[in-house]
Amino acid sequence: MSRFLITALIMMIAGMSVQAQTVTSAEIKSQIASQLENIYKKNINAEVEVKITATPFAELQLPDGEVTYKVVQGADKIVPRDIKRVDIYVNNAFVRTLNLPAQTSVYKEVLVAADFINREQAITREATLVKRIDVSQKIDYILPEKMLSKEMSAKKAFQKGEIIDKRFVKMKPDVARNGDVRIFFVSNGAVMISIDGTAMADGMTGDYINVENRNYKKVYTGKVIGENRVLVNI
């Protein structure tokens, strides 16, 4: 190979190296964890902590330019341990895909058993504690302190320190099947009229149930907004 070609090749390699950048494993972990935390916090009122537990490299060589990351799989719901699929872009051009293990913790103040709670025992303020705890394993089944205003009892035994799982709690509903309710008819956010009615199912605040107009026997679907109160949009 001629000296000219060797010199040109060296210059080309040098030019290529100038146009590259090195991103460390720690930088990538931090960026992706922060992105996931921001996504989750939009959907849940809690403290969320995400850790990318490993990468298959200590550092990554990327083309020179602005690096962005997009979580394309695994950001739709919170899973305590999961594999996140992440696409890397440089100057909005796709470069490569990473599959990274992540650990997610969700901290909320919830009810836990202050001591052993027997089956059928009343769940009261005296029987419980409010504790900040990682609830990522039971995020859909926790009970906040405000639920102590309701009449509740245990459907199973709870050990000391155990999260009070609402799947195993018997609650007096805010609206009882065949019970009297006040139906509020709302249009464009304003209450138009309210009438007496009958609930056709049990319901807690936030649930949607059918209610019947007591006078005309017409059935509506409404949202339970409190004890014996149902809102119907018209």
Side-chain angles (χ1 to χ4, degrees), residues 28-42:
I28 292 175
K29 288 179 180 179
S30 176
Q31 289 285 336
I32 297 171
S34 178
Q35 185 178 142
L36 285 165
E37 288 173 358
N38 290 333
I39 292 171
Y40 293 148
K41 287 175 183 177
K42 292 178 181 178

Side-chain angles (χ1 to χ4, degrees), residues 44-48 106-112 125 128-136 139 141-148 163-164:
I44 183 171
N45 181 24
E47 181 184 343
V48 181
V106 179
Y107 295 96
K108 285 183 74 74
E109 290 191 342
V110 298
L111 293 179
V112 302
R125 189 171 299 277
T128 58
L129 293 173
V130 178
K131 188 174 181 181
R132 180 182 175 275
I133 195 169
D134 179 10
V135 297
S136 56
I139 195 166
Y141 308 111
I142 57 177
L143 290 177
E145 183 180 13
K146 65 181 181 180
M147 294 301 291
L148 288 172
I163 293 174
I164 305 297

